Amino acid sequence: METITHCHRGALTPVPQADREKCYRRVRKFDDTFTREDLEGDDVFYVEGDKGMYSCTKQLGATTRLDPAGEDEWQEELEFYRRTDGCVAFTSQNR
């Protein structure tokens, strides 16, 4: 079996089972729909320079984030919105 070490975003590092379990417990605090199966398999990686755990396809090297943003990231997002609330440039529905 061919081991994936890189994707289009950077170098990949397999996620140890202990880290997956920590992530599961952390995310379950704010998202009760998240399951352990979401982080199962041999294709769960850290991408160098990015937060979170990703799945990477062998053919295209595309990545998909498997774990939802953690509580800290939600807090960062809320702070961003508070800081930019009156700014017209950030009123897009897509953000």
Side-chain angles (χ1 to χ4, degrees):
M1 180 169 167
E2 182 184 332
T3 304
I4 303 172
T5 59
H6 284 79
C7 68
H8 75 281
R9 296 176 73 156
L12 299 174
T13 305
V15 176
Q17 190 61 41
D19 286 2
R20 296 178 196 202
E21 186 62 26
K22 285 180 198 172
C23 174
Y24 167 75
R25 283 187 258 129
R26 178 181 41 96
V27 172
R28 284 291 290 193
K29 290 179 184 176
F30 68 93
D31 181 359
D32 62 359
T33 64
F34 191 68
T35 65
R36 281 186 172 88
E37 288 78 31
D38 293 329
L39 296 175
E40 293 283 318
D42 294 333
D43 63 341
V44 180
F45 300 98
Y46 290 125
V47 176
E48 185 179 345
D50 287 342
K51 292 181 181 180
M53 298 176 189
Y54 293 82
S55 172
C56 183
T57 62
K58 292 178 185 175
Q59 295 151 338
L60 302 174
T63 56
T64 304
R65 184 159 179 180
L66 299 174
D67 61 323
E71 197 170 359
D72 293 339
E73 289 180 63
W74 281 104
Q75 211 44 47
E76 288 175 25
E77 215 35 43
L78 284 173
E79 289 301 317
F80 172 80
Y81 286 126
R82 286 188 189 120
R83 285 193 314 270
T84 59
D85 189 33
C87 181
V88 176
F90 295 106
T91 57
S92 168
Q93 294 293 330
N94 297 327
R95 176 81 174 119

